[in-house]
Amino acid sequence: MPNADARVDATRDRRIAVPTGERQYHIGLGPGELAEYVLLPGDQDRTTRIASRFDSIELEHRHREFASVTGMYRGQRVSVVSTGIGTDNVEIAVAEILAITERPTFIRVGSCGALQPEMELGDLAITTGAVRLETTTSWFVHDGFPAVADYEAVIALIEAAERLGHRYHVGLTATAPGFYGAQGRPIPQLPIRYPDLAEDMARQRVMNFEMEASALLVLASLARCRAGVVCAVYANRTTGAFVEGAVKDAAEAACVEVGLESLLVLAELDAQKQAASTDRWRPSLWTQEPARTA
C-alpha cells in the first residue's frame, strides 16, 4: 500500500500483531471501499445523518464505534468514517484508512468549546493549527512538532462557509485528552491539576477546545495527506453557556454542510491543479467554473 511504512512492506513485521489480510481490524473495511475525500465526525450516529444528504450510497458498514458510509454527493464520491472520542481513536481510524486508500483528504467535522468572547453558540471554528495537549501524537513525533492544517483544506473550509453563509472563526485549536479535568472543568468529586487552563489558552489567543484535531493534523502531515478541521461551537467557556435543542441541531447541520461543501471545493482545486499540471494550488488558478473530475 502506498502509505505503508517501508520497513514492513516486504515481509510481515511481528510487531504489528493484527490479523493478516487487507480488511482492516477496527474499521472493518478493505481497499476500494472508501473514497479519497473523507469526512471524519466523532459521533457514529452523525455518520447516518451525513449520509442522508448523499445522492446515492454504495456502502454502509459499522464496527465498534467506527461507522462508515461511501456514496455520491453532488457528483463527487465521498466517504464518512466516525472516529469516536479522543485522539487515540483518531490514530486507529486514520492509520487504517491510510492502509486502504491512495492519498486521502480528511476533513474533521466536530464540536467544540469556544474560548474567545466574540464566539457565539452555533458558530463554526475553522482550525489552522492545534496545541498538542494530548500525548497520542508523542508516539509519532517530537514534542515540538507542530499540528498544522493543510492550507488547501483551510482555504476550502473558508470558501465553503462563505458560500453557505455560515458565521465562522479561524484560528488555533487546543486538543485536550479529556473533557473534564483535561479542559480545566472543575469537578466537585475530583480535584483537577490545572483549573485555569481555559483562561491560559484564551490568553494565548487559542480559539477553542476539542479532543481530536491535533492527532488528525499530525498523522495527515506525516502521511503527506491533506487534513482540515471545522467544529460547531457547542459551549462558550467565557460565559458558561451550552447549546441545546434546535440551536444544537442547526449548529451540527451547519458544520456538516460546510464539511461536505469543502470536499467539493477541494475537488475543484484538484481539477484546477490537474489542468495547470501542478501539485500545489495557488490563487491564480482559481476559476468559478472549473472542470470537475469525479
Side-chain angles (χ1 to χ4, degrees):
M1 287 298 156
N3 292 302
D5 188 329
R7 293 170 299 179
V8 299
D9 265 352
T11 59
R12 183 165 178 79
D13 191 318
R14 65 180 182 276
R15 293 172 298 177
I16 298 176
V18 296
T20 57
E22 294 182 317
R23 188 158 295 279
Q24 297 301 297
Y25 182 59
H26 296 91
I27 64 175
L29 300 175
E33 293 184 327
L34 290 179
E36 294 296 309
Y37 298 89
V38 185
L39 278 192
L40 298 176
D43 184 357
Q44 58 186 312
D45 292 333
R46 192 173 294 157
T47 297
T48 302
R49 294 193 288 274
I50 295 171
S52 69
R53 300 170 179 268
F54 287 7
D55 301 318
S56 62
I57 292 174
E58 66 180 78
L59 175 143
E60 291 183 273
H61 183 80
R62 183 175 294 216
H63 187 232
R64 303 190 183 195
E65 61 265 57
F66 304 105
S68 306
V69 178
T70 295
M72 297 296 293
Y73 178 72
R74 290 168 53 190
Q76 183 63 50
R77 187 173 187 251
V78 300
S79 292
V80 187
V81 181
S82 64
T83 62
I85 298 175
T87 54
D88 51 345
N89 278 2
V90 169
E91 184 237 26
I92 291 170
V94 170
E96 296 191 359
I97 292 170
L98 289 173
I100 58 172
T101 53
E102 292 296 325
R103 195 175 180 184
T105 291
F106 298 106
I107 297 293
R108 162 165 155 71
V109 286
S111 59
C112 68
L115 295 171
Q116 299 301 325
E118 69 273 14
M119 299 175 72
E120 299 177 1
L121 297 182
D123 286 357
L124 300 180
I126 297 172
T127 297
T128 56
V131 182
R132 293 167 51 213
L133 298 178
E134 42 77 30
T135 60
T136 301
T137 50
S138 296
W139 297 99
F140 293 86
V141 295
H142 188 278
D143 286 345
F145 191 95
V148 182
D150 183 88
Y151 80 97
E152 291 184 5
V154 174
I155 289 169
L157 286 165
I158 292 172
E159 175 66 19
E162 287 285 347
R163 287 182 182 182
L164 297 169
H166 294 307
R167 178 179 157 96
Y168 66 94
H169 308 266
V170 181
L172 295 175
T173 290
T175 298
F179 186 78
Y180 294 101
Q183 295 186 34
R185 283 187 167 94
I187 305 169
Q189 300 88 347
L190 300 171
I192 61 175
R193 189 176 180 186
Y194 300 112
D196 299 323
L197 182 60
E199 290 79 5
D200 288 346
M201 291 291 104
R203 278 194 295 271
Q204 294 172 59
R205 301 294 187 265
V206 173
M207 174 177 63
N208 61 326
F209 263 135
E210 56 81 77
M211 296 171 59
E212 288 83 24
S214 62
L216 171 61
L217 300 181
V218 167
L219 297 181
S221 293
L222 292 177
R224 297 181 178 177
C225 295
R226 292 182 299 198
V229 178
V230 59
C231 290
V233 174
Y234 277 12
N236 188 302
R237 298 298 297 277
T238 301
T239 64
F242 200 87
V243 73
E244 294 179 320
V247 176
K248 181 179 180 180
D249 294 341
E252 180 188 86
C255 187
V256 167
E257 289 167 4
V258 167
L260 285 169
E261 185 70 21
S262 76
L263 294 182
L264 299 183
V265 175
L266 286 163
E268 293 175 15
L269 301 189
D270 290 343
Q272 291 161 13
K273 289 187 294 184
Q274 183 177 2
S277 299
T278 181
D279 60 355
R280 293 185 178 89
W281 187 85
R282 59 187 186 273
S284 61
L285 298 181
W286 182 260
T287 60
Q288 292 298 317
E289 298 294 336
R292 290 282 307 283
T293 57

